[in-house]
Each structure stands twice: as C-alpha cells, then as structure tokens.
Amino acid sequence: MKRTIVTSGVDSEYVLGGLCEHLRSRGHEVIEFDFGKTTSCIESMLKTLSRQQVAYITSAHVTLSLRVADRLVPDLRRLYPNYLAPVEIMPILKPAVSVFVPHDLLTPYGDSNLNEFLYLDLFDHVLATNNADQLQCRLGTHTKVHDAGWIKYYHEIPVDEPLPSAPRVTLFLSMIGHMRARYGVAGFVDYLKPILTERVQVKLPGWKGIEEIEREILNQTAASIVPASTNSIDLIQESDVVICNTISSILAESILLGKPSVSLLDNEGYVADVKRTKMKEFPSLVWHPYFERQPFPEGFLEEIAKAQRPKAIAPFDYGLVETIVLC
Amino acid sequence: MNMNSVLHDEVLETAVPSLNGPWNDVAGIWEFWNRCDTILCNQQYFEQASQHFDPSKLLMLRERPTIWEIIHQNPDRKFDTVGVLSPALLSLLLSQHTSAEILGRYWCNQLLIWRDADCPSVRELRRGLHQAGYYEIAEVVPDASAPLFDYSSVSHSASGEYELLVRSLERADRPADEPRSLIASRFGLAHASSWNWNMPSEFMIKDNEGGIVSERDDSIRLALRGCVEPTTEGDGIRVGAKVEWESNPMDGSFAGLVAAYSGPGDSNMIMLTIEAFEPEYASLAIWECQDQWRKSMTMSVPFRSSPRNSVSIHCVEVTMEIKEHFIDVFLFDSPVVRLYDRKIRGTSSYGVRMRGGQFVIRDLSCQLLPKSESRT
C-alpha cells in the first residue's frame, strides 16, 4: 500500500519544501502542514489521515508545543494559533513511519532550553547532518540514524574564480525578536547602522512581520535587501563573506560550506562568553567586537574574503528519504 | 437494590474483601487500568490484581527489581501503556531517572502510575518523569465532577521543571501525600486521547467498573468525546455500547448514545435512546436534533437478562452507524432498522446523553467509517 507523506514545521523552521517537491515529482502524495501558512486547526484532518498508511516527516522542534512556547517564546501562540508540535501530531496521526530532519545546523537537536534530544527516539528515523554513528549510540536501537547531509543544501551554485575585487557581503539577521523588543524597529536598525553600508546586502528570515524591518533598513541606511524568501544556502554559496548579527545556524552553514564567516560579538541575546562557547566547534569563525558598535575596519572584509575553504558538508540525500518512506 | 449499589457492593464486599493499598484509588478509574497493555505489580498486590485485571497482562516484580530485569521481559519495543502498581518500581523510577528513561525508550510510551501516600511528593515524581523524557503528565481524577485531564504538566527543560495546568482550583490545595494516579506520556495527551471527555452539561458519574451512569434526578447529562468539526465528505461514524439496567422501570430515565454532535451545548446531534417500560421489551428510538428535537423512529426490542448477585440484570448491545444519507441500527450485532434521511452533517464527536440513575452504559466505542467502507 502506498504511503501518504505528511510533513510539518513552521515558516523558516519548515525546511521540507524542496524535499516535498522532489517527492511529488516522483509520484508521491504529499500533504504539507507549514503552520506559517495554515489558517485553521488541522486536528480533524490529521484524524482523517490517520486512517491511511502515513509517513510523517518533520523539521519542527519536537516538544515545542504552544504550552511550552508560552514560557519560552510567547509570541508563537499569537503568530501561529493553530500550531501543533510533533509530540502532539504523532499520537493523532499514528504514522506507519516517522522521520526527523533537523532545521538548524548549529543546534540540530535543540538548544539547551528545549530538552529535545531526549525525545528523538520517538521517531523511527533521524536524518543527521553528519556524525550519525555518535547519535545512533545515544538513541538506542529502535531509531535508525542516517548520515543524510544538510536538508537546505540540495544543489551546488558555481563559485566565481578568482574572487571579485569587491567581495559580495551578505548580512543575515537572525536575532530579531530580542532586538525588536529591546530597541523597537527603528532602534534595531539604528543599532546596526555602522555596518549597514552600501556594500552589504541584508537577508532576514521568512518570518511574519519582518517587512517592517526591511522597510526601515531601506529608509535609514545604504544597504540593500535580499528577499526573505531567498534560499539561504543558495545565498551563502553566492556570497564571498557571510556575516550574522548573532550566533546561529546560518554561521554553521556558511562555515561548513567553506565561506569566510563573521559574527558580531556583543552582549545582546547571550553574553559574549556564552556566544564564544556555543561556537567553539567552529574555530574559523571571525568575531567582530560590536560592544561599541564599531564599523568594520578598512580592508577587513576584503582580507577575510580570501580565506575561502573547502566544503565540509554533503548535499541532502533525497533518495534516502524515498527509500525510508517506501519501506 | 439499584444498579449502582450492586456494582458498589461487588467491589466492596466480594471482589476486594479488605479494601487496602491501591484498590480504593484504582476502583475509581477502572477504565484506565483496563486499557493498560501490561501492569507491573508487586507481590503484595498480585493476588488482588489477578481478580480485577486480565491475568495475562500482569507481570509480578520481585521486591527490588532492576530496570533491565523488567525490560528483559519485553524485548521488543512497543508503544504500549504500562501500569505501575508497585511502590518498589516507582521508587526505582524516582531514585534513578535513567530507569524511567530506559523504560520509555525500550518499552512503552505511556505509564499509568498509582502513587501511594508513602511515595515522595507528586512534584518530585512529576519532575523526575519529565526529566526522563515524559512530555506530559496528567492526573487521572477519580472524582468525575472534575475534568479528567486536570493537573496536566508539560516540560521542556533538562531539569524536569514543568508548567502545571490547574483548572479545578478548589482541588489545588489537596494534601501532598494524598494517593493519586498519574498518566505520564512521552507524547502530548490533550489532543489525542480518546479518554478525554467534553462536558457541555454537568458531568455524569462512573460506577466502580468503569460504566457510565447518571445521577438519580431529572437532569439530562451529556458527555462527549472527539472533534466537532465536520468529517470528510461522505465519511460516517459507528458508535456502539452495551446498555444495562435492572428490572425496575423508572419513569423518565433513558440511556442515549450520541453521534454526529456539532453543538453548541445540548443541541445538534443524533441520538439512539434505550428506555425500559415493558417487562419483556425495551424501547429503542432515534432522535435527531437540529435546533429542535424530532423523534424519527421508535420500536420495541427484546433484551437479554442474566442474574448478578441475586438481581436480574438486563442488557442490550446496540450500534448506530451514521452515513451520509441514512442511519443503520444494530441490536446484538444484527441490523434492525435503516432510517433514510436528508443529508446528515457528520462530525466525529460522539458520547452519551442520559437521565435518571436506571441505566449503565459500558464499553462505549466509536469508529470512523471511510466512505468506501460499509458494514451491510
């Protein structure tokens, strides 16, 4: 019996769109629940689907339900009132096979504020970005851990050689909620103004409500905007230097894709020491002290751009997913 | 003697001669314990447990079990519900949270725990289980006047700290050492559990064997399960149960099975009722409520009788199937009537609607019927 494939996630944490397209092109029936797009409760739909043979694939935080979010990220309930976490979906859907795909390369199995690691064994398969063996040892024998590559990295973009004289610099803004709450939209942009020069293009995540920040950047600074819907891995591959306003999965992605990467170092979000600790697995990361909101020194970006490295991560293996869901 | 007192006496005087240990608490939530796939039990409770539960589900533990010993008895991982009727095991789970983690990882995704007054505080128990990877823990409230999944906690932190949902504020200050039963689940409970009741009117009560009975008064009581949103076009629903009563007729009492409920309150549903006026026959009727109640069909049906504690207990087993354009009724698994109607608005919400204390509804079940599936 052919299995219907059901996926779930939310906005930029939903990283399964490309995979779904691929599976559809291979003749599979795929139903996507991106809670950034759903407008009603999906519970009854899940109950109906539970009568079929279903393969469930998710890239969402396993235990981040609205009740948990009320303590950690209260905005989630307001923005996504119909949101259901995988621990809530699975008992309704009763899938024949379940698959977890990380959406974050820095903390693929959840940050320290979510005890997600403990719940990965609820899935039949975990598609690790790398080091599958280590994870397999931790999860026991029921769950199969596979080296599947990075889900957002599914095709190569040719790199210009030699590098252009003016390196293409992309600033990814990952820490938004905290900054907006602390400084307001105008204050947030003002905070970044010293580095928002005309040579920098800015990319925000595809979250609800970021258009206001994009407009403010265009109004206040000479920087340009890359549409939030742009695939971040493609953009990283097309950039010569990647900058992020805090530690994030983007930096892990860009470093593993061999791109010179810079993080602002300040005490916003986390204190500076915590940021350094969280990125200790990525020694090639360059820190730019931003306590006094210093601009980049003259020639800094050009010098950094020379340090291109070989890629240390594999493209995602779509074929593996197909094999799993068909078994 | 009425039905309630028969059942009450059975538990108090016959089945459990000396009411002690967990039986006081377990008796109030019989339905939950009977749904466990396995019940882990200490020697001291084993004999009594054998009288109450399917013996094939019982596993007797030695006085100081190790977690691997327990896991070894069930080598294949299943997504089971395991009952813990063993202070020794509970103490093991509490002293080493890795034991609870191993139990969850290698055996079951849900624990039903009886915690006696000697065990550590409920707070400590919840924290330990959350720490071990149980996402949601809810108290099973034997007092049916409170919502079933009150006192539910969910956790996200490695320390097991949790957020507790307390709806019944009047019960929040109970003594910490009061015995109680908890369901600890690795998945979320609230959205999935078919054990969860929604009660638009005052809640009915349960007898000691998990049957549903109503108060002996004139109030109509309604309790529902499932989702009130419309089902997929063309799908149906099958609701069935066993309805029991004693020989004494009581005016105004009825037992109703409800299906396709869309509400709000006590309105918009289809109901199959059983009433008992005649000595040999029961009255069976179909009612439809679309803002107004309308009786669509009534007929007399034979019932079966059997003695229990010197009292004759009568029963019918009824099933109602609601399809897109008709309703089928089955008695003891045989079709008795098909009722054609205009298009019926289907939902997967079902339940019971009762008045008076005459009837007991047991083994209430529900199944969604895809358009292609047909029983007849």
Side-chain angles (χ1 to χ4, degrees):
Chain A
M1 188 183 200
K2 200 164 184 180
R3 287 176 178 159
T4 303
I5 297 161
V6 176
T7 63
S8 83
V10 58
D11 276 351
S12 65
E13 294 182 353
Y14 181 69
V15 293
L16 306 174
L19 173 64
C20 291
E21 267 177 46
H22 170 80
L23 292 168
R24 281 194 192 100
S25 74
R26 302 276 298 167
H28 298 281
E29 187 189 351
V30 184
I31 297 168
E32 295 179 79
F33 292 116
D34 175 353
F35 289 97
K37 294 177 182 149
T38 55
T39 53
S40 60
C41 172
I42 65 162
E43 218 173 305
S44 60
M45 210 182 299
L46 291 173
K47 281 178 184 159
T48 305
L49 285 166
S50 72
R51 301 202 299 263
Q52 304 173 23
Q53 280 273 317
V54 167
Y56 173 59
I57 309 174
T58 185
S59 63
H61 290 290
V62 186
T63 53
L64 186 62
S65 61
L66 290 181
R67 275 181 74 186
V68 168
D70 286 344
R71 300 188 76 171
L72 298 177
V73 272
D75 261 4
L76 199 75
R77 187 180 289 277
R78 183 178 58 79
L79 294 171
Y80 311 104
N82 300 307
Y83 185 76
L84 291 177
V87 286
E88 296 170 312
I89 289 175
M90 283 201 278
I92 307 173
L93 194 58
K94 299 181 180 67
V97 63
S98 56
V99 182
F100 177 78
V101 181
H103 69 254
D104 183 320
L105 207 46
L106 182 60
T107 51
Y109 312 115
D111 208 343
S112 54
N113 63 351
L114 278 173
N115 200 15
E116 276 181 285
F117 195 81
L118 211 49
Y119 294 87
L120 290 180
D121 67 297
L122 295 178
F123 293 93
D124 299 306
H125 300 270
V126 172
L127 304 188
T129 51
N130 52 15
N131 298 327
D133 291 348
Q134 285 176 25
L135 185 61
Q136 185 70 73
C137 292
R138 296 284 301 273
L139 296 189
T141 51
H142 168 78
T143 303
K144 302 280 178 294
V145 185
H146 310 264
D147 266 323
W150 176 229
I151 182 82
K152 291 187 188 173
Y153 178 27
Y154 53 87
H155 66 273
E156 301 262 0
I157 305 270
V159 178
D160 293 343
E161 286 188 43
L163 283 171
S165 54
R168 291 155 299 191
V169 179
T170 306
L171 168 65
F172 287 84
L173 297 182
S174 298
M175 181 171 50
I176 291 171
H178 162 81
M179 298 300 282
R180 184 163 46 186
R182 182 161 182 188
Y183 298 104
V185 171
F188 175 29
V189 174
D190 183 64
Y191 183 87
L192 296 169
K193 217 168 180 176
I195 57 167
L196 292 178
T197 59
E198 61 183 356
R199 61 189 307 185
V200 172
Q201 55 178 355
V202 182
K203 160 82 166 66
L204 283 104
W207 297 345
K208 284 183 179 168
I210 50 90
E211 301 81 5
E212 199 185 353
I213 300 170
E214 291 177 335
R215 278 196 301 271
E216 194 67 26
I217 289 171
L218 292 174
N219 285 342
Q220 276 199 43
T221 76
S224 56
I225 293 291
V226 179
S229 57
T230 307
N231 179 292
S232 56
I233 291 289
D234 289 354
L235 188 57
I236 288 170
Q237 291 186 88
E238 287 164 352
S239 304
D240 300 313
V241 176
V242 170
I243 307 169
C244 198
N245 70 330
T246 189
I247 55 170
S248 74
S249 178
I250 290 289
L251 288 173
E253 289 164 11
S254 63
I255 291 167
L256 292 172
L257 285 167
K259 294 293 172 183
S261 306
V262 180
S263 175
L264 301 187
L265 187 64
D266 54 20
N267 291 315
E268 297 294 344
Y270 300 104
V271 294
D273 282 350
V274 172
K275 290 181 182 180
R276 285 186 190 279
T277 306
K278 283 180 179 282
M279 293 302 291
K280 66 175 189 254
E281 304 291 328
F282 302 93
S284 66
L285 176 66
V286 176
W287 297 99
H288 174 64
Y290 203 64
F291 303 101
E292 307 294 329
R293 300 170 58 201
Q294 303 93 323
F296 296 121
E298 189 70 28
F300 172 76
L301 295 172
E302 287 76 6
E303 195 56 35
I304 291 225
K306 293 176 187 164
Q308 306 285 326
R309 304 156 77 95
K311 289 175 181 169
I313 194 160
F316 190 73
D317 186 352
Y318 284 168
L320 172 66
V321 180
E322 213 176 342
T323 310
I324 288 171
V325 299
L326 287 176
C327 280
Chain B
M1 184 185 276
N2 70 49
M3 191 69 179
N4 294 341
S5 61
V6 170
L7 297 166
H8 188 63
D9 289 346
E10 267 185 3
V11 174
L12 281 179
E13 292 164 15
T14 313
V16 190
S18 54
L19 196 67
N20 56 24
W23 305 113
N24 253 332
D25 314 308
V26 169
I29 53 165
W30 220 246
E31 180 188 3
F32 287 79
W33 285 93
N34 276 320
R35 284 180 187 226
C36 290
D37 300 288
T38 306
I39 296 173
L40 303 173
C41 185
N42 265 30
Q43 192 173 9
Q44 66 187 106
Y45 301 132
F46 192 78
E47 197 183 327
Q48 286 186 333
S50 307
Q51 295 171 26
H52 292 288
F53 305 123
D54 176 356
S56 66
K57 287 183 175 181
L58 286 175
L59 260 182
M60 186 167 73
L61 304 177
R62 67 184 180 87
E63 208 42 51
R64 290 173 187 275
T66 68
I67 196 66
W68 290 110
E69 222 174 270
I70 296 166
I71 298 298
H72 182 66
Q73 302 197 44
N74 190 70
D76 298 322
R77 188 193 194 210
K78 295 172 188 165
F79 286 97
D80 279 354
T81 297
V82 169
V84 178
L85 203 57
S86 158
L89 175 57
L90 188 54
S91 132
L92 175 70
L93 296 180
L94 276 163
S95 60
Q96 301 168 6
H97 81 264
T98 48
S99 296
E101 190 180 328
I102 290 165
L103 198 59
R105 182 158 290 175
Y106 290 94
W107 189 345
C108 60
N109 68 340
Q110 211 161 77
L111 295 173
L112 176 58
I113 295 170
W114 173 71
R115 168 223 174 251
D116 72 8
D118 298 330
C119 280
S121 75
V122 172
R123 180 172 172 72
E124 200 176 322
L125 179 58
R126 281 185 193 266
R127 197 164 49 204
L129 289 169
H130 281 314
Q131 203 174 3
Y134 291 83
Y135 164 77
E136 184 165 1
I137 300 171
E139 181 167 349
V140 188
V141 183
D143 172 4
S145 65
L148 211 53
F149 279 101
D150 210 348
Y151 303 98
S152 150
S153 58
V154 294
S155 176
H156 57 85
S157 72
S159 66
E161 280 305 320
Y162 58 83
E163 176 257 345
L164 183 67
L165 185 72
V166 181
R167 292 196 187 101
S168 299
L169 294 175
E170 74 276 14
R171 289 175 59 91
D173 57 352
R174 287 170 306 162
D177 60 354
E178 186 179 290
R180 60 189 78 179
S181 295
L182 299 171
I183 291 180
S185 175
R186 302 205 63 212
F187 291 103
L189 286 166
H191 293 278
S193 182
S194 58
W195 298 349
N196 209 358
W197 287 100
N198 170 34
M199 292 152 285
S201 57
E202 272 183 55
F203 191 59
M204 56 201 65
I205 57 173
K206 288 186 176 183
D207 73 2
N208 288 321
E209 290 182 343
I212 304 162
V213 297
S214 186
E215 297 280 7
R216 296 173 67 90
D217 58 25
D218 289 338
S219 299
I220 291 176
R221 290 178 169 82
L222 175 67
L224 299 155
R225 287 173 166 165
C227 188
V228 296
E229 288 177 38
T231 48
T232 306
E233 184 83 16
D235 284 0
I237 186 170
R238 175 188 298 150
V239 178
K242 184 195 280 185
V243 180
E244 293 181 348
W245 69 97
E246 286 180 47
S247 49
N248 302 337
M250 291 169 62
D251 284 348
S253 278
F254 68 84
L257 303 190
V258 167
Y261 171 87
S262 57
D266 188 25
S267 70
N268 294 309
M269 68 190 89
I270 294 169
M271 176 172 66
L272 169 68
T273 58
I274 300 292
E275 292 174 87
F277 297 122
E278 303 174 54
E280 307 269 329
Y281 294 93
S283 170
L284 185 153
I286 296 282
W287 292 80
E288 291 181 70
C289 176
Q290 288 178 330
D291 298 324
Q292 297 292 319
W293 284 99
R294 176 171 70 92
K295 190 190 266 188
S296 306
M297 180 280 295
T298 184
M299 65 190 297
S300 292
V301 294
F303 52 77
R304 293 175 183 171
S305 302
S306 57
R308 190 183 299 168
N309 286 8
S310 313
V311 175
S312 186
I313 303 295
H314 310 310
C315 102
V316 291
E317 288 175 22
V318 285
T319 304
M320 168 169 60
E321 285 187 4
I322 296 175
K323 304 281 182 55
E324 199 173 5
H325 297 290
F326 57 85
I327 302 166
D328 280 336
V329 178
F330 299 83
L331 183 73
F332 296 110
D333 231 22
S334 300
V336 289
V337 69
R338 169 169 286 187
L339 191 67
Y340 288 90
D341 207 335
R342 61 186 182 278
K343 190 172 172 62
I344 297 165
R345 182 180 184 268
T347 76
S348 58
S349 184
Y350 71 101
V352 295
R353 188 171 183 270
M354 301 172 82
R355 181 165 63 193
Q358 186 179 11
F359 295 94
V360 180
I361 295 180
R362 301 193 186 285
D363 304 330
L364 179 68
S365 66
C366 172
Q367 193 181 351
L368 291 174
L369 304 170
K371 193 172 187 176
S372 55
E373 188 184 330
S374 173
R375 177 174 169 154
T376 48

